[in-house]
Amino acid sequence: MIPPAFDYHAPRTVDEAIALLGSLGSDAKLLAGGHSLLPMMKLRFAQPAHLIDINRIPELRGIREEGNEVVIGAMTVENELIASPLLQAKVPLLADAPKQIADPQVRNRGTIGGDIAHGDPGNDHPAISLALDATFDLQGPQGKRSVKAADFFLGTYTTALAEDEIMVAIRVPAFAPGTGWAYEKLKRKTGDWATAGAAVVLRLSGGSVSHVRIALTNLAPMAIRVPAAEAALLGQPLSAASIAAAAQAAQTAADPAEDLRGDIAYKTAMAGQMVKRAIQAAAARCS
Amino acid sequence: MAKKLISVKVNGRTQEKAVEPRTLLIHFLREELSLTGAHIGCETSHCGACTVDIDGQSVKSCTHLAVQCDGSEVLTVEGLANAGVLHAVQEGFYKEHGLQCGFCTPGMLMRAYRFLQENPNPSEAEIRAGMAGNLCRCTGYQNIVKAVQYAAAKLQQNEKVAA
Ligand SMILES: Cc1cc2nc3c(=O)[nH]c(=O)nc-3n(C[C@H](O)[C@H](O)[C@H](O)COP(=O)(O)OP(=O)(O)OC[C@H]3O[C@@H](n4cnc5c(N)ncnc54)[C@H](O)[C@@H]3O)c2cc1C
């Protein structure tokens, strides 16, 4: 319960925050919603000497449309995603799925950027961002760079973020009309991390699958996309057989860790089930 | 670790205090201000017994630093009653027997207070989802649902009278 002592900084701009990261070095941590970092500090899993609070930086907030993309400030909280008319219209998966993340209080503080930057395989946004083909804008002392979600998640708590970088925004392509989508999450209770989760984005054209992206939550050391499951569907009519083949491919790709949520056999089987349900639910939303 | 001077409005009163950065808001409220209604039921941010209202939002004060509240408005259960008259959520929990040991109650009340502003006319399913960040060991939640429904009806009635 009692976190170790640290010094607190509250910069007002991204540039100031980056300068602090540079001068304080690896002893410093960015504090976003704090709903992963403070719990770890309260258990003394993490003991940073400095916290750089990025909650008072207005440029990290807000949801806006830019061309064919929706740009989401990294400090946007889960409940803002859910309430966003722009996301509901353009990227409905990203307005709907956070209802399955944590609970109302946590969703008032936890941010999409923090959920992604944390790199926890149990978090939901990593797989969702893979299915959405999201791009992350990272800013460091040398300026900005963009990293695709597909290149971002490297391992448990390990991402492509450098120590002196801040994720400033998440960019997602708006859905083409008629796009189907689903996030299926098996959990023991409301507010728990997934035993197994699957995110699917799907388009049908002339009865055949013309676009599909499938990603898994908590079924490997990090969120993973499953190209073999996508290949089982692409260019084919949706059928019980093609959906079963996609589910089988997900089970083959799954590499879950055994814990109180279940053993490897159970979680692997649930990977197949969640993928099957997510494809069916996404297909039902296609038009 | 240098202390920071913060100014925070708690239940309408401005409090200026020097706090250690690591001080959790729940400890600041309970120990510094003696507002001991808010409780602590876990150290993993699950139970919601510490829920308070910060700048119009329900927040678990065990997962928020006091230093982050500089310039904020905080409402705790002690600030719910108005000149001794119970707020509708307090009356609802009392009338519908929505508490037994009373340990989760301050957090439940603070969450219900905000939830009914977010959703003034909730269904039972919406109440259960809206209160999902608050655990209770005594009631089985059933009477808490009724308590929130009671408060929702009372608040809507108050609004009609005011109109
Ligand atoms: C009870 C409970 C239940 C939960 N359930 C779920 C769940 O079901 N699904 C789920 O996905 N999550 C869940 N969470 C996690 C929660 O949503 C966290 O808020 C989230 O994982 C981290 O986001 P944050 O904004 O709180 O980040 P913080 O905790 O502040 O930071 C997390 C890490 O990311 C880094 N970081 C944060 N923002 C940035 C940035 N912009 N740039 C670079 N680095 C950054 C921080 O330095 C830190 O290392 C739960 C949390 C709790 C307490």
Side-chain angles (χ1 to χ4, degrees), chain B residues 4-142:
Chain B
K4 297 262 177 193
L5 193 66
I6 62 166
S7 171
V8 48
K9 207 178 232 185
V10 182
N11 299 334
R13 272 188 55 193
T14 300
Q15 304 279 354
E16 297 204 1
K17 300 270 179 190
V19 296
E20 239 195 299
R22 68 162 166 170
T23 303
L24 300 172
L25 176 59
I26 182 69
H27 290 135
F28 175 77
L29 294 171
R30 288 179 53 83
E31 285 158 28
E32 197 72 35
L33 305 185
S34 298
L35 294 168
T36 56
H39 289 145
I40 300 171
C42 76
E43 55 180 8
T44 52
S45 312
H46 283 92
C47 78
C50 63
T51 299
V52 299
D53 208 77
I54 305 179
D55 298 327
Q57 290 186 330
S58 306
V59 175
K60 294 179 178 178
S61 62
C62 76
T63 314
H64 199 75
L65 304 168
V67 68
Q68 292 184 281
C69 290
D70 187 27
S72 288
E73 285 199 31
V74 176
L75 185 71
T76 72
V77 73
E78 291 87 348
L80 270 188
N82 186 355
V85 179
L86 295 184
H87 186 274
V89 293
Q90 294 172 304
E91 187 180 314
F93 273 67
Y94 162 63
K95 292 274 190 196
E96 297 292 346
H97 206 71
L99 68 146
Q100 289 176 40
C101 84
F103 198 85
C104 77
T105 312
M108 287 283 181
L109 291 172
M110 294 316 297
R111 177 59 196 139
Y113 164 80
R114 179 54 52 189
F115 171 65
L116 287 176
Q117 294 177 56
E118 295 162 357
N119 185 350
N121 193 13
S123 66
E124 175 174 345
E126 286 169 343
I127 293 173
R128 289 182 185 273
M131 303 292 293
N134 296 72
L135 298 180
C136 171
R137 290 197 158 187
C138 298
T139 65
Y141 303 100
Q142 205 70 11

Side-chain angles (χ1 to χ4, degrees), chain A residues 1-8 31 34-35 38-39 42-44 53 55-56 103-105 108-109 189-190, chain B residues 1-2 4 21-22 24 40 42-43 45 51 57-58 60 62-64 67-68 70 111 129-130 132-134:
Chain A
M1 185 72 177
I2 309 298
F6 53 83
D7 273 324
Y8 173 83
L31 173 67
H35 276 60
L38 293 176
K42 286 162 65 179
L43 297 171
R44 306 214 175 199
D53 186 350
N55 282 278
R56 292 179 193 258
D103 61 48
Q105 287 96 316
N108 280 332
R109 296 290 308 156
K189 59 180 181 65
T190 297
Chain B
M1 308 289 151
K4 297 262 177 193
R22 68 162 166 170
L24 300 172
I40 300 171
C42 76
E43 55 180 8
S45 312
T51 299
Q57 290 186 330
S58 306
K60 294 179 178 178
C62 76
T63 314
H64 199 75
V67 68
Q68 292 184 281
D70 187 27
R111 177 59 196 139
N134 296 72

